[in-house]
Amino acid sequence: MSTAAWPYLPHDELIKEEKATLARELEWLLNSLQETLASLKSGLEECIALLAPKEPGSTLVISSVRSESVKGFVTRVGIRIVKGDIHIRLPTLPPLRSASSYPLHLSTLPTAPSLVLNQLTSVRNLINQSLDVVDISTWTGDAHDANFIAGQLRLLFDLVEEARQALKGGDEVVEKWWEGSVNENSFDPPLPPTLSFHLSISEASLLLQLRTLQLTNPSTPTSFTNDALSGLSLRQRLGLAARLPEHDESGQVFTFRGQEVRVREKVRVESQDPSLMAVMAKLGALEHAVGVARRALAIVMGVEEEEEEDG
């Protein structure tokens, strides 16, 4: 079945009318995209509000599920952890004298290094950049220039996608533990030299990874005793303790604070953060909305999606 224009138009006039129709459709779409941009801005501002430093913050339970290895809590305000009280029981980290567990208390001293979640810093910066893109698309640039708006939507899509990936976590966005462990002086008393405390974001949840460490060359002169740096209790040095569970870093050598070390024991604990989960869900919806707008504009412009992405 075929479709024909009525009344009949000569070929040249038909092409002219098609171009005029496409021009009107493009004008309508560009106008409607301004409403889309306003909606996107509202969603981005909601994300910024959820990440804002508001008291009393979010208090999250940090506890291992099937053991007494880790028990405690931390409080997040904005991009920082401002409070923390965690007790750990690990065979390779003997407790302090007359204690049943090893306490980790976040220092409240004004001179103590802040515990900043770098992924949240990235997310906040990326969302602010996205808001700038929306404002430029609305107020500064030519809102009726299809190529300009297409470029702005492509940039906005990339920024929102990167922000969502930062909350999702993964090797590409999370600092390596031997480079990004928390400063030992963020705690009071300071962390022992045999312990790595690494905090990151994974799937919009707070992820704590604790590692007890052992020097590969205990005879290396240091400011600590060799026994302390070995990460072994007296029972373990005498071979009387039970074997430690295997983990995915067994046998590997890492450079941690200028020393070559092996990981003796590793514990991973996750705590869901409702605010971060809400931000990640909103970013996913915003990413989808920008993607739909990009595809619609590419179709009306007569540009293949791959070419539009490249160009």
Side-chain angles (χ1 to χ4, degrees):
M1 180 177 180
S2 62
T3 302
W6 183 263
Y8 173 78
L9 293 175
H11 179 72
D12 291 344
E13 289 188 25
L14 182 61
I15 296 300
K16 183 178 179 181
E17 287 298 324
E18 287 179 352
K19 289 181 178 180
T21 301
L22 285 174
R24 289 193 295 270
E25 186 175 354
L26 181 58
E27 181 182 6
W28 174 85
L29 180 57
L30 289 172
N31 289 331
S32 68
L33 284 178
Q34 291 301 306
E35 298 179 4
T36 301
L37 288 169
S39 177
L40 292 173
K41 181 176 181 178
S42 177
L44 291 167
E45 288 174 340
E46 290 176 3
C47 292
I48 285 292
L50 287 167
L51 292 173
K54 296 179 181 179
E55 296 291 348
S58 301
T59 297
L60 308 172
V61 175
I62 302 292
S63 295
S64 49
V65 178
R66 298 181 180 84
S67 70
E68 298 292 322
S69 299
V70 181
K71 296 292 179 184
F73 73 91
V74 297
T75 300
R76 180 185 64 79
V77 176
I79 62 173
R80 291 178 170 82
I81 301 297
V82 298
K83 296 179 183 177
D85 187 3
I86 301 173
H87 294 262
I88 57 178
R89 295 180 179 179
L90 299 175
T92 53
L93 187 68
L96 300 177
R97 186 171 299 175
S98 72
S100 60
S101 61
Y102 199 103
L104 304 177
H105 303 295
L106 200 63
S107 177
T108 57
L109 296 174
T111 56
S114 298
L115 206 171
V116 178
L117 296 167
N118 293 330
Q119 287 166 259
L120 294 188
T121 302
S122 297
V123 172
R124 186 184 62 183
N125 292 340
L126 289 164
I127 294 176
N128 282 327
Q129 292 177 46
S130 299
L131 286 168
D132 290 341
V133 170
V134 172
D135 286 341
I136 291 172
S137 304
T138 305
W139 305 109
T140 306
D142 186 354
H144 295 92
D145 184 338
N147 289 319
F148 169 73
I149 295 298
Q152 292 297 100
L153 289 175
R154 180 170 60 250
L155 177 58
L156 182 59
F157 182 88
D158 291 342
L159 290 170
V160 173
E161 180 184 38
E162 188 175 350
R164 184 182 60 79
Q165 288 295 333
L167 278 178
K168 184 178 179 64
D171 293 339
E172 295 182 358
V173 297
V174 178
E175 289 182 284
K176 306 300 183 185
W177 70 264
W178 58 89
E179 297 172 345
S181 289
V182 175
N183 191 305
E184 64 270 25
N185 294 315
S186 295
F187 293 86
D188 185 20
L191 296 178
T194 57
L195 181 65
S196 162
F197 186 105
H198 186 258
L199 206 56
S200 62
I201 305 296
S202 174
E203 299 291 347
S205 297
L206 202 62
L207 172 60
L208 170 62
Q209 295 187 83
L210 296 170
R211 293 172 174 84
T212 55
L213 310 172
Q214 176 186 12
L215 277 177
T216 58
N217 185 11
S219 62
T220 302
T222 66
S223 58
F224 303 94
T225 64
N226 290 336
D227 286 348
L229 283 172
S230 70
L232 303 175
S233 66
L234 177 61
R235 284 173 55 82
Q236 289 163 339
R237 292 198 300 274
L238 294 177
L240 301 177
R243 285 179 59 85
L244 297 173
E246 292 291 330
H247 54 79
D248 59 352
E249 295 173 342
S250 295
Q252 298 183 51
V253 176
F254 305 92
T255 300
F256 179 72
R257 294 173 183 164
Q259 299 285 341
E260 288 192 346
V261 299
R262 289 188 175 90
V263 178
R264 290 281 298 165
E265 195 171 2
K266 177 180 175 180
V267 178
R268 173 189 171 108
V269 179
E270 288 189 35
S271 181
Q272 292 186 337
D273 188 318
S275 294
L276 297 186
M277 294 176 70
V279 173
M280 188 171 177
K282 288 179 181 294
L283 288 174
L286 291 170
E287 182 182 348
H288 176 74
V290 177
V292 170
R294 288 184 65 197
R295 289 191 292 273
L297 186 55
I299 290 171
V300 177
M301 291 175 66
V303 179
E304 293 293 336
E305 192 170 349
E306 292 79 5
E307 293 179 8
E308 198 270 339
E309 289 177 356
D310 293 339

